[in-house]
Amino acid sequence: MALKVLVGCKRVIDYAVKIRVRPDKLGVVTDGVKHSMNPFDEIAVEEAVRMKEKKIAKEVVVVSCGPAQSQETIRTALAMGADRGVHIEIPADQMTVLQPIHVSKILAKLAEKEAADVVMLGKLAIDDDSNQTAQMTASLLDWPQGVFASKVEQKDSGLEVVREVDGGLETIKINLPAVLSADLRLNEPRYATLPNIMKAKKKKIEKIKPEDLGVDVAPRIEVVSVEDPPVREAGQSVGDVDELLGKLKDKGFSS
């Protein structure tokens, strides 16, 4: 069984960057800010490449929605071992209103177009923390889903997925085709080597517009306001337990 795997890769502000809210409070500052591949999507790419190395997958196709710079994210995935890329062209000024439902519809249409056996995504993107795309993609395709995956193995004609849940771990068996989402402990992504980075420059990236897939990306929700989190108050030192209890009582935490 050799599968075709479609992997979603989102370009996000790098996790090490300090986020700043725009003056109009309708988003965050993205101009002149370092971007990179969403860390959970990086784990998804790594797992897809490992499936290919184990001969479970025959081809790994990566897709990213966004402006021209999204091709850098695709090239990173290609350098990790993916075979080719698909760039869904979304203007930079429309990225703030591109929502998980839009991406899910795009991925579902692409999965059908590519005759994919597995759609693999990160469990969430670190910029919007929505955790919706994999689930909605599975719903649109009417495919089984294995989300929050910390282990994926081939079993008979399907997959066995170990899921991270609140109470511990849950093991499920799902038929193919299926949608998977990668959790943090699924694997540790590799670093792309210089030779593979050079090879990635020659790999094919297809450009597609959402309307080419019949997907309407008009916003379904309106961002009313984006606010900085409240500033954390400084701590206080106390001399003894009695003083601590007194301060807690003054703050209304103790009766």
Side-chain angles (χ1 to χ4, degrees):
M1 177 174 62
L3 310 175
K4 179 183 280 192
V5 184
L6 181 69
V7 189
C9 302
K10 186 176 184 181
R11 176 179 179 264
V12 299
I13 295 177
D14 190 84
Y15 69 91
V17 171
K18 182 175 174 57
I19 303 298
R20 292 179 292 125
V21 175
R22 285 173 10 196
D24 62 6
K25 294 189 179 298
L26 294 179
V28 299
V29 176
T30 57
D31 293 339
V33 174
K34 181 183 177 183
H35 286 68
S36 58
M37 188 191 303
N38 176 48
F40 289 103
D41 293 342
E42 199 172 3
I43 294 170
V45 173
E46 174 66 27
E47 191 65 21
V49 171
R50 291 188 186 189
M51 290 173 70
K52 185 182 175 185
E53 291 171 343
K54 295 174 183 176
K55 310 299 182 186
I56 298 173
K58 62 183 177 182
E59 186 180 26
V60 177
V61 182
V62 293
V63 55
S64 186
C65 304
Q69 296 93 324
S70 295
Q71 291 193 30
E72 299 170 8
T73 304
I74 295 173
R75 293 288 179 199
T76 299
L78 295 176
M80 290 173 66
D83 297 292
R84 58 187 174 90
V86 178
H87 176 208
I88 307 298
E89 298 180 295
I90 307 288
D93 59 355
Q94 293 183 21
M95 286 302 293
T96 55
V97 292
L98 186 73
Q99 295 151 11
I101 185 63
H102 303 136
V103 179
S104 298
K105 289 180 177 180
I106 288 168
L107 289 171
K109 291 290 186 181
L110 269 180
E112 293 172 345
K113 178 175 180 286
E114 292 282 349
D117 301 292
V118 175
V119 174
M120 185 170 289
L121 310 168
K123 71 170 183 179
L124 54 79
I126 61 171
D127 53 359
D128 58 17
D129 274 352
S130 291
N131 178 28
Q132 298 171 357
T133 306
Q135 293 88 334
M136 288 194 292
T137 302
S139 179
L140 290 166
L141 289 167
D142 196 22
W143 288 4
Q145 56 182 285
V147 294
F148 311 120
S150 62
K151 187 177 182 181
V152 178
E153 290 185 335
Q154 182 182 358
K155 290 288 184 180
D156 303 321
S157 59
L159 298 173
E160 184 175 276
V161 181
V162 179
R163 302 181 58 239
E164 298 205 11
V165 296
D166 288 344
L169 298 175
E170 176 185 67
T171 301
I172 61 172
K173 284 188 69 175
I174 56 176
N175 296 324
L176 293 170
V179 177
L180 304 176
S181 77
D183 213 320
L184 185 64
R185 280 159 285 279
L186 180 58
N187 60 55
E188 186 171 335
R190 71 193 67 190
Y191 288 102
T193 62
L194 183 58
N196 286 335
I197 292 172
M198 300 306 292
K199 289 177 185 176
K201 294 181 179 180
K202 299 179 181 179
K203 293 183 179 180
K204 180 183 176 183
I205 297 179
E206 181 183 3
K207 297 180 182 179
I208 301 177
K209 296 183 184 298
E211 51 265 33
D212 297 335
L213 297 170
V215 177
D216 176 17
V217 293
R220 301 296 196 273
I221 60 174
E222 178 187 358
V223 176
V224 177
S225 179
V226 176
E227 307 282 346
D228 282 310
V231 178
R232 187 173 179 178
E233 293 183 10
Q236 296 181 23
S237 297
V238 294
D240 52 38
V241 174
D242 291 337
E243 185 180 353
L244 172 62
L245 293 174
K247 287 186 177 294
L248 289 174
K249 188 174 182 180
D250 292 342
K251 294 285 187 179
F253 294 117
S254 178
S255 57

